[in-house]
């Protein structure tokens, strides 16, 4: 098990290095190859040659590309200093870059927004996992029944609706027309747990609606396949209770597939839910990345991209570990 874990960690580190190299290349190497000036991208509307030269020096763009990448990579492990004559800017560890448009380190901005995204990633997955798997299981146990047809029809409609449309409709009716919940204004969990949950309930439901529909359809299809297997018929022929057949024999292989799907979805969500955060005005990582794109703030875009890749890689490792615990054959492969 330890050897299996070490192999997965080495693979994860390799993937993250590759992502950092690709991200750095997209934002620094490609503009140079196309004849563009990366300093001009950072400067925005500044066209003064002296100002552009100062930006090159401060960002280290006057150094060879290999040294630039090495400095960029080193910021993940220690603080960096951006110098421009008497002006010195310090980017504290972990330095994912420095946003000169906001005059703040990317790490500081991410740390400030991360609790909002983490709050979304705590509540929404629980709702969509419980709801989706429960509905899918009921549909699979009663195929072609009225409940099955109705639930799959609702699931198909939920999948077809974009998340920003669902979020906007929920906010319109629940907040403004019916006044069931207050308007969305994020409050930290430590400040007021009840108000924290009230403000996040609609974003949770908006995200969970789309995912729960997918999980319901996936669970139903997987269970129908499993219930037709020979070992399920054998278990029933041996006189085992139907609950034991379903919970112990049918749900185990389905659960293995759901773990994979759930791990990837949560890992991707940790990188920020751009549409949901934008509709509800939540100051999370997705909103931070969206604003950075509109402002052409490259350091923030790079930092959010690296962080999103990190969470997806970590989710892969965790899923592999759970696989190894559930199925010993994975450790031997």
């Amino acid at each position: 098990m330890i050897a299996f874990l070490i192999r997965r960690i080495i693979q994860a580190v390799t993937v993250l290095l590759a992502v950092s190299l690709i991200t750095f290349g997209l934002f620094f190497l490609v503009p140079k190859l196309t004849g563009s000036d990366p300093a001009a991208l950072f400067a925005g509307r500044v066209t003064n040659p002296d100002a552009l030269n100062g930006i090159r020096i401060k960002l280290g763009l006057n150094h060879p590309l290999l040294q630039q990448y090495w400095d960029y990579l080193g910021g993940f492990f220690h603080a960096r200093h951006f110098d421009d004559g008497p002006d010195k800017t310090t980017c504290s560890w972990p330095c994912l870059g420095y946003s000169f448009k906001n005059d703040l380190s990317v790490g500081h901005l991410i740390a400030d927004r991360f609790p909002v995204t983490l709050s979304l990633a705590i509540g929404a997955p629980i709702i969509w996992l419980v709801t989706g798997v429960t509905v899918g299981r009921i549909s699979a146990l009663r195929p072609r029944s009225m409940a099955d047809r109705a639930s799959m029809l609702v699931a198909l409609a939920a999948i077809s609706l974009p998340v920003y449309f669902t979020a906007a409709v929920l906010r319109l009716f629940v907040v403004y027309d019916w006044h069931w919940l207050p308007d969305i204004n994020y409050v930290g969990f430590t400040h007021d747990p009840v108000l924290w949950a009230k403000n996040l309930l609609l974003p949770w439901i908006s995200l969970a609606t789309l995912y729960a529909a997918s999980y319901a359809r996936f669970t139903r299809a997987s269970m129908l396949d499993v219930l037709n297997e020979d070992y399920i018929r054998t278990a029933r022929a041996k006189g085992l209770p139907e609950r034991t057949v379903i919970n112990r024999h049918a749900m185990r292989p389905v659960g293995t597939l759901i773990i994979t799907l759930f791990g990837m979805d949560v890992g991707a969500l940790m990188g920020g839910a751009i549409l949901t955060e934008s509709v509800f005005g939540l100051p999370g990582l997705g909103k931070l990345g969206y604003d950075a794109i509109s402002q052409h703030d490259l350091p923030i875009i790079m930092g959010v991209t690296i962080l999103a890749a990190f969470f997806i890689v970590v989710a892969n490792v965790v899923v592999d570990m759970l696989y190894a615990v559930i199925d010993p054959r994975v450790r031997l492969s």
Side-chain angles (χ1 to χ4, degrees):
M1 184 67 178
I2 295 177
F4 177 78
L5 177 61
I6 292 174
R7 288 199 306 269
R8 288 295 182 267
I9 292 176
I10 292 175
Q11 292 173 2
V13 172
T14 303
V15 170
L16 287 175
L17 285 174
V19 170
S20 69
L21 181 60
I22 293 172
T23 305
F24 178 85
L26 287 175
F27 289 105
F28 287 92
L29 180 59
V30 172
K32 283 195 171 185
L33 294 177
T34 57
S36 303
D37 187 358
L41 297 177
F42 282 90
R45 297 181 179 180
V46 176
T47 56
N48 187 302
D50 293 335
L52 288 176
N53 187 56
I55 291 174
R56 293 188 193 98
I57 296 174
K58 191 158 190 170
L59 294 176
L61 298 176
N62 55 332
H63 297 151
L65 277 174
L66 186 60
Q67 182 179 345
Q68 291 183 45
Y69 175 68
W70 182 255
D71 293 339
Y72 172 69
L73 196 63
F76 298 166
F77 307 99
H78 57 75
R80 291 182 63 189
H81 303 286
F82 298 93
D83 301 316
D84 182 11
D87 181 22
K88 174 181 280 190
T89 301
T90 300
C91 179
S92 58
W93 177 86
C95 182
L96 301 176
Y98 196 91
S99 171
F100 294 96
K101 295 181 182 294
N102 295 308
D103 196 28
L104 288 170
S105 70
V106 175
H108 175 82
L109 290 169
I110 288 177
D112 185 56
R113 303 292 189 96
F114 182 69
V116 180
T117 299
L118 180 62
S119 299
L120 280 176
I122 289 174
I126 295 175
I127 296 175
W128 83 55
L129 180 65
V130 173
T131 304
V133 173
T134 301
V135 172
R137 171 173 166 155
I138 294 174
S139 296
L141 295 178
R142 296 175 176 83
R144 300 182 183 86
S145 65
M146 185 62 69
D148 176 34
R149 296 178 188 276
S151 60
M152 288 301 103
L153 181 62
V154 172
L156 181 61
I159 292 175
S160 303
L161 295 175
V163 66
Y164 62 83
F165 176 81
T166 305
V169 170
L170 284 175
R171 188 176 189 183
L172 174 64
F173 286 101
V174 176
V175 175
Y176 296 117
D177 286 356
W178 300 335
H179 305 288
W180 289 353
L181 291 173
D183 197 8
I184 308 302
N185 186 19
Y186 179 77
V187 175
F189 178 81
T190 55
H191 183 266
D192 189 336
V194 175
L195 193 57
W196 169 82
K198 283 185 177 180
N199 280 283
L200 288 172
L201 185 58
L202 280 187
W204 286 344
I205 294 174
S206 300
L207 275 174
T209 299
L210 176 63
Y211 285 97
S214 300
Y215 277 62
R217 290 170 61 86
F218 180 80
T219 302
R220 178 185 183 276
S222 300
M223 278 200 68
L224 287 177
D225 289 339
V226 171
L227 290 174
N228 290 323
E229 295 290 340
D230 292 338
Y231 69 90
I232 296 295
R233 286 192 290 268
T234 301
R236 285 170 171 164
K238 290 166 62 177
L240 292 177
E242 186 66 14
R243 178 176 298 179
T244 302
V245 174
I246 299 301
N247 293 336
R248 185 176 298 179
H249 297 284
M251 285 301 297
R252 186 167 184 176
V254 175
T256 303
L257 299 175
I258 291 174
I259 286 174
T260 304
L261 191 63
F262 186 71
M264 296 302 98
D265 288 338
V266 173
L269 181 59
M270 290 295 290
I274 296 177
L275 295 177
T276 303
E277 292 176 8
S278 298
V279 171
F280 290 105
L282 294 172
L285 293 179
K287 187 68 164 56
L288 177 65
Y290 175 80
D291 293 340
I293 292 172
S294 62
Q295 298 171 4
H296 304 287
D297 200 339
L298 298 184
I300 295 180
I301 300 173
M302 293 172 64
V304 172
T305 302
I306 292 292
L307 188 67
F310 170 78
F311 283 122
I312 292 175
V313 169
V314 169
N316 271 283
V317 174
V318 172
V319 168
D320 288 340
M321 293 301 100
L322 293 175
Y323 264 9
V325 172
I326 295 174
D327 190 349
R329 294 175 298 178
V330 175
R331 300 195 296 266
L332 301 175
S333 61

